[in-house]
Amino acid sequence: MEGAVDGERVLSETVLHHLLDRSADVTVLVDASTGRSIHRWYDPSTSRLHLPLSPTARAITWMHPDDLPAVLDVMAVVAHEGGSRSTVARVHPDHAAVVGSSLMIVAHDVSASVPFGILVHAWLVDFDAAALEGAEAGVAMSSLAEAAPVGLQVRSGNGSVSFENSRFSALVGAGRDEVEARISAALDSTAIDTVSDLAVDGRSLRLRVVPTRDAEHRLLLAVASLEDVTSQRAAEGLFRAVFDGSPVATAVVDLDGRFVQVNDALAMICGRPSDDLLGRGFAEITHPDDLAVDEELLAEVRAGRRGGYQMEKRFLHRAGHEVWVELTVSAVHDAAGAISHFVSHVEDISGRKALIDMADSSEDLAYWATHDHLTGLPNRRYLDSYLTSNLGPRRRADDHLVVLFLDLDDFKPVNDRHGHQTGDEVLRTIARRLRSAAREDELVARYGGDEFVVVTTRARTAYDVSLLAERILGAVRTPIVGLTEDPILVGASVGIGHAHGDEDPAALLTRADAASYRAKRAGKGRIEYAPGTV
């Protein structure tokens, strides 16, 4: 490009380039001598056109055949005369996202850089195609630039403004002086793309300046864009407040396994400042003996064979000791369905592990004689002893001991479809939820298989019992995510029995169990009371 840049040509080249940076559906470099594609820029995840994946497919295949002559004429004029030309064509029915949509076609001579080269740009347009029939490139580009969702300003080589759309003028408002100063500073620098944020009239704006220079670094032209990112900033601020303030240790991890975001809870578990974790790979803080399993499970998520996973592993604390954690990893997908990153939730289970190790190392293993090895909950032996103690002669007349017998609904299909390992993880999850839903002085036990029991002495009325039952049902019904590609849904049928006098524990459990069976027969997810319950 030589000398001063004509305003219309600036618009047809630079604004088009900027718009295509954001919304191009396809750009093709064509060899004018043969009409074949040299290269094609096409992102199927963002483009609204459905094109063949081959990068060298003929450029005309995505145009309606009846409109091809007009497109070829434009290319021929550009090949012989240079400059830019535009036309409108319909989308080929085989490749259109919406059959009958219009394509804005602009051909631009780039033979100075690529012999016989023509850049052909196309994107779907929403306005009436007939209104642009035969329009010159500058006029067409003016229409597009004026309708752009971002503010656009184009400057010529001497720094003067040759074009500014109404969106730019409206956004800049009272901040004109600051915006102009930032644009000038960007043009004085050697950066090829400058992005800065500023506040104007209570709004958050993002300014981007892209200059074009010659071999001697002289400015030929520049385009500045201005976007209102107020809502985006507000959403980011809300996310950051929730993320940072969460007591649950959480991290956002990129596809290479590096930490992109971590909160203070995770930093505390690792014994490192948050900034020290950013950019590190999770492998750096994982015990070597646990790394292979973690990486294997993550590879299965990347391959689409599972939606996430849960495992126990060891982190390496900065002080040198090991920290046992329970890790839950979920994949996050972009609009096109591809995995964009992973979210990890981490729970410090060192205390629980220490108790287990203590129990395992004791001489009589009394703890595990009365607790379930899968869930860590009290087992049936412990439950029988507890009920016997509370239903014996020392039981006061005003005690209100109530048993809730839970039989999980739709648990067998989980084992059948996903395997018993996943089924075991579901049982562990349900056990944790029941323990969280119950109060500290209420007993939660695993009766066996997919059956659990909750015992309370707090309930004085039927209303008290129903509140507890609904709270427990809600905990069970919440979808379980991270174990499989789709959330796992289970429920529970609940039978409730109220102790009578010195009733035998087995009889009380039998009455509550029979009530849960009636609840399941009546349609699952229900609550049934044994006769005589408060």
Coordinates of all heavy atoms in Angstrom, one line a residue, residues 42 47-52 61-64 89-103 124:
Y42 N -11.4 -21.4 8.6 CA -12.8 -21.8 8.9 C -12.8 -22.6 10.2 O -12.1 -23.6 10.4 CB -13.3 -22.7 7.8 CG -14.6 -23.4 8.1 CD1 -15.8 -22.7 8.4 CD2 -14.7 -24.8 8.2 CE1 -17.0 -23.3 8.7 CE2 -15.9 -25.5 8.5 CZ -17.0 -24.7 8.7 OH -18.2 -25.4 9.0
S47 N -18.4 -21.0 13.2 CA -19.0 -20.6 12.0 C -20.5 -21.1 11.9 O -20.8 -22.2 12.4 CB -18.2 -21.2 10.8 OG -18.9 -20.9 9.6
R48 N -21.3 -20.3 11.3 CA -22.7 -20.6 11.1 C -22.9 -21.4 9.8 O -24.0 -21.9 9.6 CB -23.6 -19.4 11.1 CG -23.6 -18.7 12.5 CD -24.1 -17.3 12.4 NE -23.3 -16.4 11.6 CZ -23.6 -15.2 11.2 NH1 -24.8 -14.7 11.5 NH2 -22.8 -14.5 10.5
L49 N -21.9 -21.5 9.0 CA -22.0 -22.3 7.8 C -21.5 -23.7 8.0 O -20.6 -24.0 8.8 CB -21.1 -21.6 6.7 CG -21.5 -20.3 6.2 CD1 -20.4 -19.7 5.3 CD2 -22.8 -20.3 5.5
H50 N -22.1 -24.6 7.3 CA -21.8 -26.0 7.4 C -21.0 -26.4 6.2 O -21.5 -26.7 5.1 CB -23.0 -26.9 7.6 CG -23.8 -26.7 8.8 ND1 -24.9 -27.4 9.1 CD2 -23.6 -25.8 9.8 CE1 -25.4 -26.9 10.3 NE2 -24.6 -25.9 10.7
L51 N -19.6 -26.4 6.3 CA -18.8 -26.6 5.2 C -18.0 -27.9 5.2 O -17.8 -28.4 6.3 CB -17.7 -25.4 5.1 CG -18.3 -24.0 5.1 CD1 -17.2 -23.0 5.0 CD2 -19.3 -23.8 4.1
P52 N -17.5 -28.4 4.1 CA -16.7 -29.5 4.1 C -15.4 -29.3 4.9 O -14.9 -28.1 4.9 CB -16.4 -29.8 2.6 CG -17.4 -29.0 1.8 CD -17.8 -27.9 2.7
T61 N -18.0 -24.1 -3.5 CA -18.9 -25.1 -3.1 C -20.0 -24.7 -2.1 O -21.0 -25.3 -2.0 CB -18.2 -26.3 -2.6 OG1 -17.4 -25.9 -1.4 CG2 -17.3 -27.0 -3.6
W62 N -19.7 -23.6 -1.4 CA -20.7 -23.1 -0.4 C -21.5 -22.0 -0.9 O -22.2 -21.4 -0.1 CB -19.9 -22.7 0.9 CG -18.6 -22.1 0.8 CD1 -17.4 -22.8 0.8 CD2 -18.3 -20.7 0.6 NE1 -16.4 -21.9 0.6 CE2 -16.9 -20.6 0.5 CE3 -19.1 -19.6 0.4 CZ2 -16.2 -19.4 0.3 CZ3 -18.4 -18.4 0.2 CH2 -17.0 -18.3 0.2
M63 N -21.5 -21.7 -2.2 CA -22.4 -20.7 -2.8 C -23.5 -21.3 -3.6 O -23.3 -22.4 -4.2 CB -21.6 -19.8 -3.6 CG -20.5 -19.0 -3.0 SD -19.5 -18.1 -4.1 CE -18.0 -17.8 -3.2
H64 N -24.6 -20.7 -3.7 CA -25.7 -21.2 -4.5 C -25.3 -21.1 -6.0 O -24.7 -20.1 -6.5 CB -26.9 -20.3 -4.3 CG -28.2 -20.9 -4.8 ND1 -28.4 -21.1 -6.2 CD2 -29.3 -21.4 -4.2 CE1 -29.6 -21.7 -6.3 NE2 -30.1 -21.9 -5.1
A89 N -24.6 -13.3 -2.3 CA -25.0 -14.6 -2.9 C -25.8 -15.4 -1.9 O -25.7 -15.1 -0.6 CB -23.7 -15.4 -3.3
R90 N -26.6 -16.3 -2.3 CA -27.3 -17.1 -1.4 C -26.4 -18.3 -1.0 O -25.5 -18.7 -1.7 CB -28.6 -17.7 -2.1 CG -29.7 -16.6 -2.3 CD -30.8 -17.1 -3.2 NE -30.2 -17.2 -4.6 CZ -30.9 -17.7 -5.6 NH1 -32.1 -18.2 -5.4 NH2 -30.4 -17.8 -6.8
V91 N -26.7 -18.9 0.1 CA -26.0 -20.0 0.6 C -26.5 -21.3 -0.1 O -27.6 -21.5 -0.4 CB -26.2 -20.2 2.2 CG1 -25.5 -21.4 2.7 CG2 -25.8 -19.0 2.9
H92 N -25.5 -22.1 -0.4 CA -25.8 -23.4 -1.1 C -26.7 -24.2 -0.1 O -26.3 -24.4 1.1 CB -24.5 -24.2 -1.4 CG -24.8 -25.3 -2.3 ND1 -25.5 -26.4 -2.0 CD2 -24.4 -25.5 -3.6 CE1 -25.5 -27.3 -3.0 NE2 -24.8 -26.7 -4.0
P93 N -27.7 -24.8 -0.6 CA -28.6 -25.6 0.3 C -27.9 -26.7 1.1 O -28.3 -27.0 2.2 CB -29.7 -26.1 -0.6 CG -29.7 -25.2 -1.8 CD -28.3 -24.7 -1.9
D94 N -26.9 -27.3 0.5 CA -26.2 -28.4 1.2 C -25.4 -27.9 2.4 O -25.0 -28.7 3.3 CB -25.3 -29.1 0.2 CG -26.1 -29.9 -0.8 OD1 -27.3 -30.1 -0.6 OD2 -25.5 -30.2 -1.9
H95 N -25.0 -26.6 2.4 CA -24.1 -26.2 3.5 C -24.7 -25.1 4.3 O -24.0 -24.5 5.2 CB -22.8 -25.7 2.8 CG -22.2 -26.7 1.9 ND1 -22.0 -28.0 2.3 CD2 -21.7 -26.5 0.6 CE1 -21.4 -28.6 1.3 NE2 -21.2 -27.8 0.3
A96 N -25.9 -24.7 4.1 CA -26.5 -23.6 4.9 C -27.0 -24.0 6.2 O -27.6 -25.0 6.3 CB -27.6 -22.9 4.1
A97 N -26.7 -23.2 7.2 CA -27.4 -23.4 8.5 C -28.9 -23.2 8.4 O -29.7 -23.8 9.0 CB -26.7 -22.5 9.6
V98 N -29.2 -22.2 7.6 CA -30.6 -21.9 7.3 C -30.7 -21.7 5.8 O -30.2 -20.7 5.3 CB -31.1 -20.5 8.0 CG1 -32.5 -20.3 7.7 CG2 -30.9 -20.6 9.5
V99 N -31.4 -22.6 5.2 CA -31.4 -22.6 3.7 C -32.1 -21.3 3.2 O -33.1 -20.9 3.7 CB -32.2 -23.8 3.2 CG1 -32.4 -23.7 1.7 CG2 -31.5 -25.1 3.6
G100 N -31.4 -20.6 2.3 CA -32.0 -19.4 1.8 C -31.3 -18.2 2.4 O -31.6 -17.1 1.9
S101 N -30.5 -18.3 3.4 CA -29.8 -17.2 4.0 C -28.8 -16.5 3.0 O -28.4 -17.2 2.1 CB -29.0 -17.6 5.2 OG -29.9 -18.0 6.3
S102 N -28.5 -15.3 3.2 CA -27.7 -14.5 2.3 C -26.2 -14.5 2.8 O -26.0 -14.5 4.0 CB -28.2 -13.1 2.1 OG -29.5 -13.1 1.6
L103 N -25.3 -14.5 1.8 CA -23.9 -14.4 2.1 C -23.4 -13.0 1.6 O -23.7 -12.7 0.5 CB -23.1 -15.5 1.5 CG -23.1 -16.9 2.1 CD1 -22.5 -17.9 1.2 CD2 -22.4 -16.9 3.4
L124 N -22.6 -14.8 7.0 CA -24.1 -14.6 6.9 C -24.5 -13.2 7.3 O -23.9 -12.7 8.2 CB -24.7 -15.7 7.8 CG -24.7 -17.1 7.3 CD1 -25.2 -18.1 8.4 CD2 -25.6 -17.3 6.0

